[in-house]
Amino acid sequence: MFVRHLQVTDFRSWPHADLPLQRGPSVLVGPNGQGKTNLVEAVGYVATLGSHRVATDAPLVRHGASRAVVRTAVVNQDRELLVELEITPGKANRARLNRAPVPRPRDVLGILRTVLFAPEDLALVRGDPGERRRFLDELLVLRAPRFAGVRADYDRVLKQRSALLKTAGSARRAGSGGDIRTLDVWDGHLARHGAQLLAARLDLVADLAPHVAAAYAGVAPESRPVRVTYRSTLGGSLPEGYGEPGGPRASVEELEAALLAELYEVRQQELERGVCLVGPHRDELELVLGDILARGYASHGESWSFALALRLGSFELLKGDGGEPVLVLDDVFAELDHRRRRRLAEVAATAEQVLVTAAVAEDVPDELDGARYEVRDGEVSRVR
Amino acid sequence: MYEGPVQDLIDELGRLPGIGPKSAQRIAFHLLAAEAADVTRLQEVLQRVKEGVRFCEVCGNVSAEERCRICQDARRDPTVVCVVEEPKDVLAVERTREFRGRYHVLGGALDPLSGVGPDQLRIRELLARIGAEDVKEVILATDPNTEGEATATYLARMLRDFPGLTVTRLASGLPMGGDLEFADELTLGRALSGRRSL
Ligand SMILES: Nc1ncnc2c1ncn2[C@@H]1O[C@H](COP(=O)(O)OP(=O)(O)O)[C@@H](O)[C@H]1O
Ligand SMILES: [Mg+2]
Ligand SMILES: [Zn+2]
């Protein structure tokens, strides 16, 4: 697939930008702070309904404006779809598909699929487990958009159940019992939605792991091999082989039963602490280098290679699913040494479309010498 | 910020559901420009609604009298009770013209985040009613969202022990995460006629 046209209004620094695009590589070049990343961030937003730089929508709206609009014409197997998103912080965002409003923005997920690699990705390796869970869930939604709903339902149940534990917990500590008549109900719903999310993540990791290992070996052949594995709060109650390449597909029913049993086990502890201790919200995607966790241990170069391998692995996985994703490389070539640069360029050159940003054109390998745009003084113009 | 009462009015309007700061401002200035008689009429209606409207002592729906029109209507089947969250959901179900039974309005849904547990809802009244009246089926028509689903599950558990009582839930097909009142008549009607036993 590819983005044939990008248009933004009041998005980040852009009052308006209009950018016709095409298959193959497109490189946005210009000095820092000119708005290059802002443009590819808009493309990523259409694919994920989120930004790779900020957790909330407010910074995406141009200072002084009340809402931003992003429009993309996406071509997938010769069919073109127009996706429009209106981003209004503090209110419900709105989406239109081929000019017709859809009930919820998440109904347009899956139309554009992107894999975006950016300097922020170092946090995938060095940051909290939450960064890696987000990475997994985002990839999950790209593969199967219905998981956006599963994830939202799970988050909501989790919030409600946590609120109940918190109130009941503090009532108990104050010696007044605490009303937990509805806790069984919330347990049941948490286990039901949690099992769906967990099963999907386990299958995802089983499918993704070989791609990541191969991608890492490609970018850093001299380094020790890497592994990615899923660690669940279910611990030993997780059925054998789940989440492992070649292992059995995860059964939602089995996981639901296991989650329920585990919730029952930890109930006292949960009430004492007033927090929800079991479920995919506390799981971890472990990144293993050699036989040690990469987080807090891998060198700067190894961390970069690992982050790159996670993105390249995602790209290969999505490609294998059909509907090849658009690859977005935001300001990353300057950070990579010669060999990793080459390796990235080799893979990128096979993408149906790749969007690249760079401060200077010399940083971009020759393989990606396609269309070039200059971004400067609030203008973007094609120069080649 | 405007001075004095105008800003107060904007603030009050802005606290109403579905009204943002811009709409609040628009309504405030509309009222300022309106005829005094129009404003007085609005003022009177607001007063009457607070003083005059009460809730049906049987089903909890809004009512002008002790019992609402539906509870008084002998043609409505008293053996089937449709449980909804809010009075507006009664209207939504009525619009489908699919339902000839009676209602029970809970006054919300289980919502620990807002401190709403079983005691804050009219659940005790529901159980008492089923024990006292000849109810054969309870349709759980809470909203198809997290809180509504949890409430339905909780009620289903509470109602398990009534012998001979059938408990049903609206068929899926309602937009998940939604509000009953926003479902169109056709979809809601279908969900009602295709309800499944729990
Ligand atoms: N919400 C916003 N409103 C106005 N300007 C913004 C907003 N968000 C970011 N900017 C501006 O955008 C510029 C950064 O753009 P960016 O795309 O990151 O640059 P680069 O070309 O280096 O990738 C900065 O000058 C920043 O002030
Ligand atoms: Mg940049
Ligand atoms: Zn009544």
Side-chain angles (χ1 to χ4, degrees), chain A residues 97-178:
Chain A
L97 181 56
N98 284 344
R99 309 208 180 274
V102 295
R104 285 162 313 190
R106 72 175 192 240
D107 296 328
V108 302
L109 285 169
I111 292 170
L112 174 62
R113 306 208 286 175
T114 61
V115 169
L116 192 154
F117 182 47
E120 287 78 8
D121 285 339
L122 210 50
L124 287 179
V125 183
R126 302 192 151 179
D128 301 338
E131 301 276 352
R132 289 176 288 283
R133 287 193 291 267
R134 191 148 50 81
F135 163 78
L136 279 182
D137 290 344
E138 217 172 84
L139 189 54
L140 196 59
V141 171
L142 284 175
R143 273 187 113 185
R146 78 175 186 89
F147 282 102
V150 173
R151 176 65 212 264
D153 289 344
Y154 180 75
D155 287 347
R156 186 73 192 164
V157 173
L158 176 64
K159 263 201 185 131
Q160 290 287 14
R161 187 174 181 277
S162 304
L164 183 65
L165 285 173
K166 203 169 160 203
T167 337
S170 45
R172 294 204 153 196
R173 282 190 296 278
S176 65

Side-chain angles (χ1 to χ4, degrees), chain A residues 13 131 149 166 186 192 204 291 305 319 321 325 331 382:
Chain A
S13 55
E131 301 276 352
K166 203 169 160 203
W186 291 111
R192 174 137 57 84
L204 172 65
D291 47 16
S305 297
K319 210 162 125 178
D321 285 352
D331 206 16
R382 181 148 184 190

Side-chain angles (χ1 to χ4, degrees), chain A residues 31-38 40 52-53 119-120 330-331 357-359:
Chain A
N32 281 329
Q34 297 296 311
K36 305 182 295 294
T37 299
N38 295 345
V40 294
H52 69 287
R53 294 197 286 189
E120 287 78 8
D330 179 29
D331 206 16
T357 75

Side-chain angles (χ1 to χ4, degrees), chain A residues 66 91 104 106 152-153 156-157 159-161 163-164 167 179 181-182 184-186 188-189 192-193, chain B residues 20-22 110-114 117-119 146-147 149-151 153-155 157 175-178:
Chain A
S66 60
K91 271 203 196 164
R104 285 162 313 190
R106 72 175 192 240
D153 289 344
R156 186 73 192 164
V157 173
K159 263 201 185 131
Q160 290 287 14
R161 187 174 181 277
L164 183 65
T167 337
D179 180 6
R181 278 174 293 164
T182 63
D184 282 343
V185 169
W186 291 111
H189 286 234
R192 174 137 57 84
H193 297 291
Chain B
K22 283 214 178 114
L110 291 176
D111 184 357
L113 278 168
S114 314
D119 296 341
T146 302
E147 295 72 23
E149 295 290 346
T151 308
T153 310
Y154 182 72
L155 290 176
R157 288 181 186 203
M176 192 44 204

Side-chain angles (χ1 to χ4, degrees), chain A residues 50-370:
Chain A
S51 150
H52 69 287
R53 294 197 286 189
V54 286
T56 59
D57 284 345
L60 303 179
V61 176
R62 191 169 66 86
H63 191 69
S66 60
R67 58 170 193 187
V69 178
V70 180
R71 281 190 196 87
T72 51
V74 180
V75 181
N76 191 1
Q77 285 160 355
D78 299 325
R79 215 162 74 96
E80 180 167 312
L81 292 173
L82 179 67
V83 183
E84 298 170 88
L85 290 171
E86 191 182 287
I87 306 165
T88 317
K91 271 203 196 164
N93 291 343
R94 286 194 293 201
R96 298 203 301 167
L97 181 56
N98 284 344
R99 309 208 180 274
V102 295
R104 285 162 313 190
R106 72 175 192 240
D107 296 328
V108 302
L109 285 169
I111 292 170
L112 174 62
R113 306 208 286 175
T114 61
V115 169
L116 192 154
F117 182 47
E120 287 78 8
D121 285 339
L122 210 50
L124 287 179
V125 183
R126 302 192 151 179
D128 301 338
E131 301 276 352
R132 289 176 288 283
R133 287 193 291 267
R134 191 148 50 81
F135 163 78
L136 279 182
D137 290 344
E138 217 172 84
L139 189 54
L140 196 59
V141 171
L142 284 175
R143 273 187 113 185
R146 78 175 186 89
F147 282 102
V150 173
R151 176 65 212 264
D153 289 344
Y154 180 75
D155 287 347
R156 186 73 192 164
V157 173
L158 176 64
K159 263 201 185 131
Q160 290 287 14
R161 187 174 181 277
S162 304
L164 183 65
L165 285 173
K166 203 169 160 203
T167 337
S170 45
R172 294 204 153 196
R173 282 190 296 278
S176 65
D179 180 6
I180 54 166
R181 278 174 293 164
T182 63
L183 189 52
D184 282 343
V185 169
W186 291 111
D187 282 8
H189 286 234
L190 191 85
R192 174 137 57 84
H193 297 291
Q196 288 188 44
L197 183 61
L198 178 55
R201 281 192 191 163
L202 287 164
D203 289 347
L204 172 65
V205 172
D207 295 343
L208 175 69
H211 290 295
V212 174
Y216 189 87
V219 274
E222 77 292 347
S223 166
R224 283 157 299 166
V226 298
R227 241 170 349 109
V228 299
T229 55
Y230 192 82
R231 191 168 56 71
S232 159
T233 43
L234 284 178
S237 342
L238 193 70
E240 186 92 24
Y242 275 21
E244 287 167 28
R249 294 274 101 177
S251 144
V252 176
E253 292 74 33
E254 226 174 313
L255 290 172
E256 183 175 341
L259 282 169
L260 262 183
E262 194 65 23
L263 285 168
Y264 185 75
E265 280 293 309
V266 299
R267 179 173 280 195
Q268 270 321 315
Q269 226 181 316
E270 287 192 319
L271 282 170
E272 275 156 30
R273 294 173 53 182
V275 284
C276 189
L277 295 172
V278 172
H281 63 289
R282 290 177 77 100
D283 292 352
E284 164 74 302
L285 177 70
E286 289 184 341
L287 309 182
V288 186
L289 176 62
D291 47 16
I292 307 175
L293 287 181
R295 183 184 179 199
Y297 165 79
S299 72
H300 189 72
E302 287 166 334
S303 300
W304 260 103
S305 297
F306 216 144
L308 178 55
L310 287 169
R311 293 303 182 193
L312 290 180
S314 305
F315 179 72
E316 294 295 343
L317 178 74
L318 291 174
K319 210 162 125 178
D321 285 352
E324 183 173 333
V326 172
L327 189 59
V328 181
L329 304 174
D330 179 29
D331 206 16
V332 289
F333 285 106
E335 305 269 357
L336 300 174
D337 63 21
H338 182 70
R339 193 184 42 233
R340 283 179 295 181
R341 225 185 257 200
R342 287 247 81 79
R343 185 68 202 126
L344 176 56
E346 275 166 34
V347 175
T350 71
E352 184 171 353
Q353 181 178 49
V354 50
L355 308 177
V356 181
T357 75
V360 287
E362 290 69 48
D363 283 342
V364 182
D366 296 341
E367 285 92 333
L368 300 180
D369 222 6

